Amino acid sequence: MVVQCPTYKIGEEYAWGTCVSESELITAEEHNLSNKYIRTNTHHPVNSVTVNEKFREHCSRMNIELSEPRHLLSNSRGTVLSWYNLSHTDLDSSQTTYQTAILNDHTKKFSLTALLGEQVGICTNKQMWAEFINKRKHTANIEVDLDFFMYQLPNQLIDNIKAMNKEQQDWKEMDHFDDDMQRNDFVVRTMDAGIIQPRCVPHILQHLRTPEHPEFQYSNFYNTYQAYTSHWRDTNAFTLRHKCSKLQHLLRNEYRNIVEATEAEEARMKGIGGGVYRWDD
């Protein structure tokens, strides 16, 4: 069972458990942590409401808005999975959306796990995917470490937004293809690198030649990336993240090579034309 981008309704039962309100979650955990999942020398369960409050507190300090909170309480009532959508003034929600999932377990089955990214998912077999995944075992001092643990996620988001915005702006300002030959060559290279299958080549070229949106018509690095993600719109989430990462790595290398070549040429020209010459009579 995969949990991803859910739209849960309070009171409804799902494979992971029942969607509950925060007040119901408080009541259930107060009972279970007092009677069923008792703290031991090696296992220190923490209240999910406390964990979520810490996360919301740090998000508020960083002007991150949380929306659509959903809480799943497992059938054993020992595992809580909380979801939030995140937005920030520096984040263009029309281009990128972020989710976070916080998995808190009292049964010793899972570590306290916080996930954040454009694609976030959790399977019952413990397989997870997200841009950022932080884990902390329920050992001694977890309450002491909780503040910093929940600070890391929103802090990573802010750093990622700043880096992403700068990279996107750099990519928009750098031309990528001068002609069809260069465009075709790049698409073939992504096929050779295993980023796309041969059958995808004509579709990617179609997106590059006739973009879906007018703002994607210019042949720069940013729009090249958008052409691929447009084709991957309905791709399986298990493979999408890996393909996007490989494409980003290839584009970053290509961008860096162009920048370095340009800087080297500028330095060479300065060496040729630079300096002060004095002609003696």
Side-chain angles (χ1 to χ4, degrees), residues 193-250:
I195 298 172
I196 61 172
Q197 298 295 320
R199 57 183 170 78
C200 300
V201 169
H203 301 290
I204 298 295
L205 288 174
Q206 182 69 16
H207 280 292
L208 287 168
R209 291 167 179 162
T210 56
E212 294 178 322
H213 307 288
E215 60 269 27
F216 294 160
Q217 63 181 306
Y218 304 104
S219 294
N220 55 43
F221 276 74
Y222 178 76
N223 292 345
T224 299
Y225 182 75
Q226 295 300 324
Y228 282 80
T229 56
S230 294
H231 176 65
W232 291 333
R233 189 175 292 116
D234 299 320
T235 299
N236 186 314
F238 281 105
T239 61
L240 179 59
R241 180 65 192 160
H242 182 60
K243 289 190 290 189
C244 286
S245 296
K246 290 181 71 173
L247 177 61
Q248 288 170 342
H249 180 71
L250 183 64

Side-chain angles (χ1 to χ4, degrees), residues 3-6 8 51-52 54-56 59 64-72 80-87 91 97-104 112-122 128-134 149-157:
V3 179
Q4 182 192 10
C5 302
Y8 296 126
V51 171
N52 292 340
K54 279 292 181 185
F55 179 66
R56 289 197 293 262
C59 285
I64 297 173
E65 294 184 1
L66 302 178
S67 60
E68 301 180 51
R70 289 90 80 195
H71 307 288
L72 280 182
V80 179
L81 181 58
S82 298
W83 291 80
Y84 298 93
N85 289 339
L86 294 84
S87 60
L91 181 64
T97 57
Y98 280 89
Q99 281 197 327
T100 188
I102 301 173
L103 180 65
N104 187 29
L112 173 63
T113 306
L115 305 93
L116 184 145
E118 296 178 52
Q119 294 283 339
V120 175
I122 304 176
M128 307 176 183
W129 70 92
E131 264 182 277
F132 305 109
I133 301 178
N134 297 331
F149 179 84
M150 298 316 299
Y151 159 80
Q152 288 178 300
L153 213 61
N155 188 60
Q156 286 172 322
L157 175 62

Side-chain angles (χ1 to χ4, degrees), residues 7-26:
T7 304
Y8 296 126
K9 295 181 180 179
I10 292 178
E12 296 289 328
E13 293 185 3
Y14 301 90
W16 260 85
T18 303
C19 184
V20 299
S21 66
E22 191 155 298
S23 60
E24 290 177 284
L25 181 60
I26 292 173

